[in-house]
């Protein structure tokens, strides 16, 4: 391996500024397409949709019973019932049947006394239009059924069909190409050997693109070869609306992405003040967004969320939802640098009324930190870390209900925690046995796995518990 | 139309009790199937999944730089640098490369001073294992990646692949058959004529089933004929895990569903204390759930949510999420009966700090009341209605963020409200012009559409505003 020109990150641009600059340069123009209303679940309306017909499109019986002319029922009382004749004065109807002229009221079957021979008796007069669903009761032709930029839900499909709509104009889903790169990247487990890494990032991208409303298109992995990458990128740009290039490693000799984008188009941003995710490349080729995503799984995920998701949403006419943040108490010290905004995966759980955040591994390679995370703590660029017990802002990844049901464990690692983790939502912080005892004293965990040998007695754990929690009732498993 | 035997609802069973009884009789046993991990987005794990390989499966460089034996770097300082020789003492590596014996540390390229001729200088000693990702840093073989009954997310797919998992056992999706019935029901707009209704319910069911994780299978509409319905139901039961029979009308002469279920199996519940949704039929045929759903669109939707959704979730290993309720002030009187729990669609919006609920039409046929609803107010069976200004419990259908952005309009209807509704989330209560003026005085709306002619002056609106809001600054559009 020679000493080639090594690219260094020239930029350390604020994330929000990078997004803004990139968006301005891109100027995305969403397209629409027409689809059948029965296939429109989850699609986003391009225009407001107005009813073409009324529903019901006729005056309909709203009850099972008989239709009558209300005027002919006037004067009916218990002491002076009216007798009506089938065919002449009334007709039997079921809910939904047409109420035809000259009939203008429905009497419920429960109020009809059958006299036999097609004759019935009623004890009350009918008001005009009683128990009738008038034309357009549900939907009036020309009424707006759903506005534009509306994500179509099941009930909307029903209303659209009832309103006489068969086809709808919706935002076209963007096609998002994914090119995995890296000589060390392999496609299947069968090829796994030392020095090789199974491609997982592009499968995560596929799923994220589907969730966000795009159409993923994964290409074969391209080895680290400038010309091959260039060829693949050009093809990818022409066949898609957005192109993602997944890097094998970050800024090594083999990272050709930035050069290729520069040759074929323009690099708008290279390097953002975000950790993980720093080596992001935001480029434009032939007017289309081309994004270079670092190879570490956590970086890849966060860069996708930060820069690719908003583009997909823009294509499909939706705005990014505001993230929901909560305040939590960190159970462990978090270190961070002044060079970037730091995103720390945390577990969350309530101990009494205190929401406790336990930082998970901060390594950008540790996928499991994201799998296990209940939220992502955002440490602003202006802070150089946060002490244990301090308050932090956490973006929720799971619903609050789940978090309320979470068991908070702080202490040593124990295999039993895996079993518990299969049974319930678990926030498990590994700070060692003594750390667990101290967290328990601060009231910041429900259980504390410990493995502490008392040298004097040769006994495990119990002497420590007696020492730190004198006189307190403690359950030991 | 003759006077046939008319079924009346014998039951008025409490909804929760009906659900419980039905579940006990049904005793659903979910099945699993094996699928490729790349197709597993949104599927639910049947077993906990443990890693088969470690990730990384070798000691990997975590930085671009050189690999060294840490012991050979000891003693290096700024005043006493060490000189190392390529091939002999070190090798260049990129992030992700294998760190082979006897090397045990990586020095970042930024800390390497190139002397030419394959020689470099370092000014600091390297700690053992610095900048190395050890085997299993991300995932250790045998470690649990995801628990059982877990909905697979994009990031889980990445972790599963990295952990050497290619196929996963997931809960099998239930197939849910839908049989629309009713001679008046037509399939397409082209057939629409007086007395006919376009089938929209089964399209709503299809979309709801998809959203909930089942596989919808819609059959052709069956006309009101006992034998034809019986035939269709038997076929539907045999081809599906769950069968829905959509009624044309509610309890008319033509409602054969309950008879057919009784003939082929058992009716567990007929009639629940819920409005809309009373004429629900919960049956079992050949051990499978067969549910008769009333024909009015709002009833159909609510019965599906109440009785079908939990079954689908049970098949796929998920529990029903607890609904999230909020307290709101009703802007209009709501009437209800002591005979059933009443579900009232409402619009929500904040006026200052007050969450205002405006009831929409209560007609079970008014699909638009669900389309427009922000929530569903639950009026318990024990109440005979709620006065304007009182507090009610509302189940949210939209995220709170959207509701916070909602414009609350109370007053008369005006076409401009449709245009506003296309521009922003709108809660629009129609209580007439004077009702709007009174709501405005109570501080329960942002705008009040009014059409009030002052007989004395012949002027519209302005005299009323002057009278009801003397001295107050009011904006008039």
């Amino acid at each position: 391996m020679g000493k080639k020109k090594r690219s260094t990150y020239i930029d350390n641009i604020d994330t929000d500024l990078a997004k803004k600059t990139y968006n301005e340069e891109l100027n995305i123009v969403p397209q629409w397409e027409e689809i059948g209303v029965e296939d429109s679940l989850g699609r986003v309306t391009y225009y407001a949709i107005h009813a073409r017909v009324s529903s019901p499109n006729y005056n309909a019986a709203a009850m099972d019973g008989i239709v009558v002319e209300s005027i002919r029922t006037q004067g009916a009382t218990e002491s002076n019932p009216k007798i009506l004749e089938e065919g002449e004065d009334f007709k039997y109807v079921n809910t939904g049947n047409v109420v035809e002229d000259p009939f203008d009221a429905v009497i419920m079957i429960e109020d009809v006394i059958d006299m036999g021979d097609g004759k019935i008796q009623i004890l009350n007069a009918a008001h005009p239009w009683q128990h009738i669903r008038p034309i357009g009761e549900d939907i009036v032709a020309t009424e707006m059924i759903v506005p534009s930029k509306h994500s179509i839900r099941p009930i909307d499909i029903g209303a659209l069909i009832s309103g006489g709509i068969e086809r709808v104009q919706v935002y076209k889903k963007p096609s998002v190409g994914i090119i995995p790169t890296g000589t060390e990247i392999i496609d299947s487990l069968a090829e796994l050997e030392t020095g090789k890494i199974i491609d997982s990032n592009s499968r995560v991208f596929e799923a994220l693109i589907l969730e966000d409303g795009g159409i993923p298109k994964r290409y074969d992995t391209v080895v680290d070869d400038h010309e091959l990458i260039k060829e693949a990128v050009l093809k990818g740009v022409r066949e898609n609306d957005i192109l993602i290039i997944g890097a094998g490693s970050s800024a090594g000799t083999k990272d050709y992405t930035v050069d290729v984008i520069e040759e074929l188009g323009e690099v708008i941003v290279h390097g953002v003040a975000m950790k993980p995710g720093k080596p992001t490349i935001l480029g434009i080729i032939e007017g289309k967004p081309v994004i270079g995503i670092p190879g570490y799984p956590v970086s890849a995920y966060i860069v996708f969320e930060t820069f690719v998701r908003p583009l997909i949403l823009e294509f499909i006419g939706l705005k990014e939802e505001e993230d929901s943040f909560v305040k939590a108490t960190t159970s462990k010290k978090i270190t961070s640098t002044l060079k970037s905004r730091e995103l720390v995966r945390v577990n969350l759980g309530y101990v009494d009324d205190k929401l406790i955040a336990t930082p998970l591994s901060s390594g950008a390679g540790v996928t499991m930190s994201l799998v296990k995370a209940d939220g992502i703590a955002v440490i602003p660029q202006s802070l150089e870390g946060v002490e244990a017990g301090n308050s932090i802002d956490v973006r929720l990844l799971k619903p609050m209900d789940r978090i309320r049901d979470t068991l908070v464990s702080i202490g040593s690692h124990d295999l039993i925690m895996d079993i518990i983790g299969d049974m319930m939502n678990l926030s498990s912080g590994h700070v060692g046995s003594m750390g667990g005892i101290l967290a328990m004293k601060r009231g910041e965990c429900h259980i504390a796995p410990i493995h502490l040998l008392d040298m004097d007695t040769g006994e495990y754990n119990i002497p420590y518990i007696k020492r730190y929690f004198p006189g307190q009732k403690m359950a030991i498993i």
Side-chain angles (χ1 to χ4, degrees), chain A residues 174-199:
Chain A
S175 160
V176 186
I178 308 163
I179 301 177
T181 70
T183 308
E184 77 280 19
I185 303 296
I186 52 168
D187 279 326
S188 85
L189 195 61
E191 306 164 50
L192 188 62
E193 55 182 65
T194 302
K196 296 294 184 188
I197 293 167
I198 311 170
D199 170 42

Side-chain angles (χ1 to χ4, degrees), chain A residues 322-384:
Chain A
E322 297 252 331
D323 293 323
S324 58
F325 281 92
V326 293
K327 293 262 178 211
T329 303
T330 176
S331 64
K332 241 168 133 174
K333 182 184 169 134
I334 301 173
T335 53
S336 71
T337 80
L338 291 173
K339 275 189 282 184
S340 45
R341 174 191 301 180
E342 199 122 358
L343 304 172
V344 182
R345 281 78 67 208
V346 299
N347 271 152
L348 293 171
Y350 274 95
V351 180
D352 298 326
D353 278 348
K354 234 188 211 171
L355 182 60
I356 305 295
T358 301
L360 294 153
S361 163
S362 64
V366 185
T367 320
M368 287 305 291
S369 66
L370 256 179
V371 169
K372 291 177 178 164
D374 299 312
I376 295 180
V378 179
I379 315 297
Q381 196 172 343
S382 58
L383 288 185
E384 225 178 333

Side-chain angles (χ1 to χ4, degrees), chain A residues 70 183 209 244 246 249 302 319 326 338 343 356 405 433 436:
Chain A
S70 57
T183 308
I209 292 163
I244 293 174
S249 46
I302 286 180
K319 275 193 220 137
V326 293
L338 291 173
L343 304 172
I356 305 295
D405 281 344
S433 297

Side-chain angles (χ1 to χ4, degrees), chain A residues 5 23 32 42 53-54 78 80 97 106 124 189 196 224 227 231 266 274 288 304 338 359 369 452 463 467:
Chain A
K5 171 182 164 277
N23 264 327
W32 62 268
V53 300
S54 293
E78 285 196 31
N80 185 25
N97 283 160
V106 170
N124 286 294
L189 195 61
K196 296 294 184 188
D224 294 308
E227 282 312 304
E231 216 171 86
E266 196 185 349
M274 178 170 91
K288 292 177 181 173
F304 183 97
L338 291 173
S369 66
L452 287 167
R467 199 173 314 146

Side-chain angles (χ1 to χ4, degrees), chain A residues 163-374:
Chain A
I165 306 295
E166 289 178 309
R167 300 185 67 74
V168 287
Q169 280 93 40
V170 294
Y171 280 86
K172 216 172 156 186
K173 292 181 174 205
S175 160
V176 186
I178 308 163
I179 301 177
T181 70
T183 308
E184 77 280 19
I185 303 296
I186 52 168
D187 279 326
S188 85
L189 195 61
E191 306 164 50
L192 188 62
E193 55 182 65
T194 302
K196 296 294 184 188
I197 293 167
I198 311 170
D199 170 42
S200 63
N201 284 352
S202 63
R203 299 300 183 184
V204 176
F205 295 149
E206 279 184 318
L208 286 168
I209 292 163
L210 277 177
E211 271 196 350
D212 290 340
I215 302 167
K217 182 168 184 176
R218 182 184 178 272
Y219 292 88
D220 288 340
T221 302
V222 182
V223 297
D224 294 308
D225 177 291
H226 184 279
E227 282 312 304
L228 290 179
I229 293 177
K230 191 168 168 178
E231 216 171 86
V233 167
L234 200 57
K235 181 172 149 76
V237 164
R238 295 200 171 147
E239 292 180 354
N240 296 282
D241 301 301
I242 300 173
L243 187 66
I244 293 174
I245 307 167
S249 46
S250 54
T253 38
K254 299 179 305 174
D255 191 10
Y256 299 109
T257 306
V258 71
D259 298 341
V260 163
I261 298 177
E262 220 142 43
E263 281 172 45
L264 295 172
E266 196 185 349
V267 171
I268 308 297
V269 170
H270 184 200
V272 289
M274 178 170 91
K275 195 180 161 195
K278 186 167 169 45
T280 300
I281 306 163
L282 305 177
I284 301 178
I285 298 174
E286 302 188 353
K288 292 177 181 173
V290 178
I291 298 182
I293 299 192
Y296 275 139
V298 180
S299 316
Y301 185 89
I302 286 180
V303 170
F304 183 97
E305 274 203 325
T306 310
F307 296 106
V308 185
R309 169 167 301 156
L311 293 182
I312 295 176
L313 294 181
E314 198 169 341
F315 269 103
I316 62 167
L318 292 181
K319 275 193 220 137
E320 256 185 294
E321 298 267 328
E322 297 252 331
D323 293 323
S324 58
F325 281 92
V326 293
K327 293 262 178 211
T329 303
T330 176
S331 64
K332 241 168 133 174
K333 182 184 169 134
I334 301 173
T335 53
S336 71
T337 80
L338 291 173
K339 275 189 282 184
S340 45
R341 174 191 301 180
E342 199 122 358
L343 304 172
V344 182
R345 281 78 67 208
V346 299
N347 271 152
L348 293 171
Y350 274 95
V351 180
D352 298 326
D353 278 348
K354 234 188 211 171
L355 182 60
I356 305 295
T358 301
L360 294 153
S361 163
S362 64
V366 185
T367 320
M368 287 305 291
S369 66
L370 256 179
V371 169
K372 291 177 178 164
D374 299 312

Side-chain angles (χ1 to χ4, degrees), chain A residues 79-149:
Chain A
S79 54
N80 185 25
K82 284 240 167 188
I83 293 173
L84 304 179
E85 201 157 320
E86 188 174 358
E88 182 70 22
D89 303 310
F90 77 90
K91 267 169 55 182
Y92 282 103
V93 285
N94 287 316
T95 308
N97 283 160
V98 184
V99 177
E100 281 167 326
D101 272 349
F103 298 120
D104 69 349
V106 170
I107 298 174
M108 294 195 314
I109 197 69
E110 293 90 321
D111 297 335
V112 171
I113 302 161
D114 193 350
M115 312 278 288
D117 281 338
K119 290 204 172 65
I120 58 112
Q121 223 181 33
I122 56 167
L123 308 179
N124 286 294
H127 314 290
W129 297 102
Q130 80 175 22
H131 304 318
I132 290 178
R133 294 183 69 201
I135 291 178
E137 185 200 54
D138 185 1
I139 299 170
V140 180
T142 77
E143 175 181 3
M144 181 177 75
I145 300 175
V146 287
S148 59
K149 291 181 184 285

Side-chain angles (χ1 to χ4, degrees), chain A residues 5-80:
Chain A
K5 171 182 164 277
R6 286 165 186 280
S7 52
T8 43
Y9 310 125
I10 31 170
D11 300 334
N12 189 47
I13 297 181
D14 174 78
T15 312
D16 298 329
L17 180 63
K19 253 165 106 166
K20 192 166 163 276
T21 311
Y22 192 42
N23 264 327
E24 285 168 5
E25 292 286 336
L26 270 174
N27 190 24
I28 286 171
V29 181
Q31 306 293 312
W32 62 268
E33 62 182 335
E34 199 178 84
I35 60 171
V37 69
E38 64 279 7
D39 300 317
S40 68
L41 180 65
R43 300 300 295 270
V44 180
T45 53
Y46 194 84
Y47 300 109
I49 304 177
H50 298 261
R52 291 176 52 203
V53 300
S54 293
S55 172
N57 70 334
Y58 58 93
N59 295 322
M63 291 282 179
D64 296 338
I66 58 169
V67 279
V68 295
E69 286 174 77
S70 57
I71 202 158
R72 294 216 206 173
T73 67
Q74 278 178 16
T77 60
E78 285 196 31
S79 54
N80 185 25

